[in-house]
Amino acid sequence: MTVQEQATGRELVDRGVPGAQAGRRPGVRQTPAPGPGELQQTPQEIEGPYYRLGTPQRSNLLEPGDKPEIVLTGRVLNEKGTPIPGAVVSFWSSDAAGNYDMVGYRYNGWVATDEQGRYAVTTIIPGCYEPREAKHIHVKVQGNSRPITTQLYIEGEPGNTDDDFYHPALLVPCTVDENGVKHGTYDFVIKQVTDAENVTPESLAARV
Ligand SMILES: [Fe+2]
């Protein structure tokens, strides 16, 4: 059972097979096999050209006139399954027409996980744009050590398995409420620093 299935407590529909470029672009690491008793780490994917520094901390990315379309919740865990409080989870996506804001911070923002390692964000379902086939939300997750960069795909949206970068392990299982809002649950699993990688007493003390 995957972490995502553990989170939702249900079997998932067919997630398809990875796209041609999933996890195989230069600079994107293949996800190593988990050690005994460890969780599979979240696959890392391309950052793309639209990541911006300086985005605001906020859990609601909606712009005036938007209706909520998806609520994403989940946890940030280390590879041993321990929740990571205070992890920074940054989200960025295109707007509904497939355009990224490179002047302001529309559909950009970050949240910090709570004491149980939980995060939540409300946003739109982004549009799609050439050359991508899948609607996707870019994410960076940082615990104690280096951030990982990935992207999430939304269950029930068209084009997922046609996308070159699609990865089944990055598909967010969703339910739909009475207002048509999707609720997706996804746990990120990131490898944390080891003793050998710690360089200061402070970083050692902060280790999960
Ligand atoms: Fe993108």
Side-chain angles (χ1 to χ4, degrees):
M1 180 177 284
T2 67
V3 172
Q4 288 75 37
E5 287 164 342
Q6 290 171 358
T8 60
R10 66 188 177 98
E11 293 297 318
L12 295 172
V13 296
D14 179 18
R15 290 166 173 250
V17 297
Q21 298 295 328
R24 295 206 285 117
R25 285 287 286 257
V28 177
R29 290 188 296 139
Q30 291 280 4
T31 304
E38 292 184 351
L39 300 174
Q40 180 72 55
Q41 291 176 46
T42 299
Q44 300 184 40
E45 291 212 331
I46 56 167
E47 179 179 279
Y50 303 117
Y51 174 67
R52 300 195 68 202
L53 290 172
T55 63
Q57 179 180 8
R58 54 183 178 178
S59 60
N60 186 338
L61 305 187
L62 298 177
E63 293 289 323
D66 284 345
K67 294 179 179 177
E69 294 180 334
I70 184 165
V71 179
L72 284 174
T73 57
R75 298 174 297 168
V76 178
L77 308 171
N78 72 11
E79 73 276 20
K80 298 179 179 65
T82 304
I84 303 175
V88 171
V89 190
S90 301
F91 301 92
W92 73 103
S93 79
S94 71
D95 63 17
N99 297 311
Y100 285 86
D101 185 358
M102 295 304 288
V103 178
Y105 295 110
R106 298 175 76 228
Y107 308 111
N108 269 270
W110 64 273
V111 296
T113 57
D114 68 10
E115 286 303 307
Q116 282 76 49
R118 298 175 299 196
Y119 73 90
V121 67
T122 300
T123 186
I124 62 165
I125 293 177
C128 206
Y129 56 91
E130 293 287 343
R132 302 297 301 273
E133 297 288 342
K135 302 172 181 180
H136 56 276
I137 298 173
H138 295 276
V139 188
K140 282 184 185 288
V141 185
Q142 186 163 23
N144 293 341
S145 47
R146 74 187 67 171
I148 70 145
T149 301
T150 191
Q151 49 193 333
L152 297 178
Y153 303 88
I154 303 163
E155 185 183 18
E157 296 299 321
N160 281 329
T161 56
D162 298 324
D163 190 276
D164 280 347
F165 297 91
Y166 174 76
H167 195 300
L170 296 171
L171 181 68
V172 179
C174 292
T175 59
V176 183
D177 71 18
E178 64 276 15
N179 297 314
V181 180
K182 288 193 169 184
H183 294 259
T185 303
Y186 192 88
D187 287 348
F188 297 97
V189 179
I190 62 174
K191 185 171 175 59
Q192 292 296 280
V193 292
T194 66
D195 288 353
E197 293 167 324
N198 277 295
V199 294
T200 67
E202 290 77 17
S203 63
L204 182 61
R207 181 163 60 89
V208 173

